[in-house]
């Protein structure tokens, strides 16, 4: 397999960087500690609603989550999620609300992770991805899967308990593989889904099925979507992807066949690209690169050898 360079320090995987936040899970069941942390003047709180939060641009050119002290936050008792502490002992909470609050100065704007993840600091991006993942899970898992009773929130937003049968339910994460496949000519296999903008190509991806290893999932998904047989598979890196609840596991893989036969459902078109062909297609506008927030862009860059346009 061709040796690729490591991820450059200035090209991190969005949503995956070190946030400087200790999730401090040992505090989640300590109601006295949580109450004290909530009332502490240094604690910072932000609202999440429908996968969005308020962000604001600072005079020095940065973009930040709009956070307030707890005493200025909207009132809620149940949908209050403890996200962790920073190295200075500042505690962070997210509040799940039906709508985002307004701002007197009108300078803040709502944004989801696809926009905000590219703008925020690693700390703020890490806090937001944690909050959005919890919000998605909370909205979709309000009833007990064992007996059907409505569940209640516990562990500062990280458990739902059933008062009827006693079952505890935890946030789910669905593993998905995403892979840059190359052949014996070191060409890259990129595909296009039907609902994407015309010309958008990216890596292949798919969910891991029950009873399947992640390496098996890589080989199966490539075969199903593009008809290409994969041999060697090597793990590269991962990325949280709460849209609504996935963890993207990034791989590079070596094809042992080159004939393409797309499934016509998930993948509408797939092509082999040499670096020169892809560079020319980018320049002409024939091909649009994968979006910058996705690990797909970093996987292609590792093979391509430079940042994508």
């Amino acid at each position: 397999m061709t040796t690729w360079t490591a991820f450059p320090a200035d090209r991190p995987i969005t949503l995956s960087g070190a946030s400087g936040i200790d999730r401090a899970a040992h505090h989640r069941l300590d109601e006295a500690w949580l109450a004290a942390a909530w009332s502490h003047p240094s604690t910072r709180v932000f609202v999440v609603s429908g996968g969005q939060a308020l962000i604001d641009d600072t005079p020095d050119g940065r973009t930040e989550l709009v956070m307030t002290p707890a005493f200025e936050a909207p009132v809620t008792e149940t949908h209050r999620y403890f996200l962790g502490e920073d190295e200075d002992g500042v505690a962070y909470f997210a509040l799940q609300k039906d709508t985002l609050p307004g701002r007197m100065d009108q300078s803040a704007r709502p944004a989801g992770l696809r926009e905000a993840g590219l703008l925020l600091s690693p700390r703020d991006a890490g806090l937001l991805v944690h909050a959005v993942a919890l919000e998605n899970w909370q909205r979709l898992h309000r009833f007990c899967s064992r007996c059907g009773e409505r569940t209640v929130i516990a562990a500062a937003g990280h458990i739902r308990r059933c008062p009827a049968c006693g079952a505890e339910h935890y946030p789910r994460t669905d593993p998905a593989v995403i892979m840059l496949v190359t052949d014996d000519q070191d060409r890259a296999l990129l595909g296009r889904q039907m609902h994407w903008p015309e010309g958008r190509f990216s890596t292949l991806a798919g969910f891991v099925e029950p009873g399947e290893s992640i390496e098996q999932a890589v080989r199966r998904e490539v075969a199903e979507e593009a008809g290409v047989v994969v041999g060697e598979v090597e793990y590269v890196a991962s990325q949280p992807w709460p849209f609504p609840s996935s963890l993207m596991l990034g791989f590079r893989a070596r094809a042992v066949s080159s004939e393409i036969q797309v499934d016509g459902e998930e993948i509408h078109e797939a092509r082999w690209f040499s670096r020169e062909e892809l560079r020319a297609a980018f320049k002409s506008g024939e091909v649009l690169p994968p979006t910058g927030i996705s690990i797909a862009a970093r996987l292609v860059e590792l093979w391509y050898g430079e940042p994508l346009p």
Side-chain angles (χ1 to χ4, degrees):
M1 180 174 292
T2 301
T3 300
W4 295 355
T5 58
F7 282 108
D10 61 344
R11 298 292 289 172
I13 305 172
T14 309
L15 310 181
S16 300
S19 67
I21 299 295
D22 178 355
R23 294 196 173 197
H26 57 287
H27 289 315
R28 293 174 186 167
L29 294 172
D30 189 338
E31 294 298 334
W33 187 94
L34 291 169
W38 179 258
S39 62
H40 197 280
S42 69
T43 293
R44 289 296 175 264
V45 181
F46 65 94
V47 175
V48 61
S49 179
Q52 293 190 317
L54 291 178
I55 62 173
D56 206 354
D57 298 321
T58 65
D60 60 0
R62 293 177 294 112
T63 301
E64 295 182 335
L65 273 176
V66 174
M67 291 190 272
T68 67
F71 64 84
E72 294 181 4
V75 177
T76 182
E77 289 297 328
T78 56
H79 292 82
R80 185 168 76 189
Y81 311 142
F82 172 60
L83 304 179
E85 298 177 288
D86 65 19
E87 60 184 7
D88 297 320
V90 175
Y92 294 87
F93 288 81
L95 301 181
Q96 178 182 322
K97 303 290 285 185
D98 291 334
T99 59
L100 294 174
R103 287 272 288 187
M104 294 295 291
D105 56 18
Q106 299 298 311
S107 66
R109 64 186 186 277
L113 279 168
R114 284 185 170 88
E115 175 191 352
L118 295 170
L119 303 174
L120 296 173
S121 68
R123 183 202 71 176
D124 285 7
L127 289 169
L128 185 56
V129 74
H130 189 177
V132 168
L134 286 177
E135 183 206 20
N136 284 334
W137 172 67
Q138 294 282 359
R139 289 186 184 278
L140 296 175
H141 295 82
R142 294 176 295 168
F143 298 91
C144 178
S145 59
R146 181 184 294 176
C147 72
E149 183 72 24
R150 181 180 287 273
T151 53
V152 296
I153 295 172
H158 294 76
I159 294 176
R160 292 192 73 99
R161 289 198 177 110
C162 178
C165 71
E168 290 189 345
H169 304 279
Y170 295 84
R172 74 179 271 182
T173 297
D174 301 319
V177 292
I178 184 166
M179 43 275 175
L180 194 284
V181 181
T182 56
D183 68 0
D184 57 4
Q185 300 178 51
D186 202 25
R187 298 179 300 173
L189 177 64
L190 301 179
R192 189 174 76 80
Q193 295 187 18
M194 191 171 298
H195 66 273
W196 286 354
E198 187 68 30
R200 175 81 70 201
F201 279 80
S202 187
T203 54
L204 304 184
F207 287 104
V208 180
E209 293 188 346
E212 184 176 51
S213 73
I214 52 179
E215 293 83 3
Q216 290 170 333
V218 170
R219 297 185 179 100
R220 175 185 52 77
E221 285 289 345
V222 175
E224 288 179 355
E225 294 184 349
V228 172
V229 178
V230 163
E232 185 180 0
V233 174
E234 182 181 356
Y235 172 76
V236 178
S238 65
Q239 179 188 40
W241 196 250
F243 303 109
S245 57
S246 298
L247 175 66
M248 304 303 293
L249 305 166
F251 293 86
R252 48 193 179 192
R254 172 66 74 183
V256 296
S257 70
S258 59
E259 183 179 352
I260 295 173
Q261 186 174 355
V262 297
D263 61 9
E265 296 180 3
E266 293 187 65
I267 298 298
H268 178 64
E269 179 183 3
R271 292 164 56 184
W272 292 105
F273 291 92
S274 68
R275 292 174 181 80
E276 294 72 22
E277 290 169 340
L278 191 58
R279 187 172 290 109
F282 285 152
K283 186 174 182 180
S284 70
E286 177 189 358
V287 170
L288 302 175
T291 57
I293 191 176
S294 171
I295 189 176
R298 301 292 86 79
L299 290 172
V300 175
E301 282 181 349
L302 281 178
W303 164 82
Y304 191 60
E306 61 187 75
L308 302 183

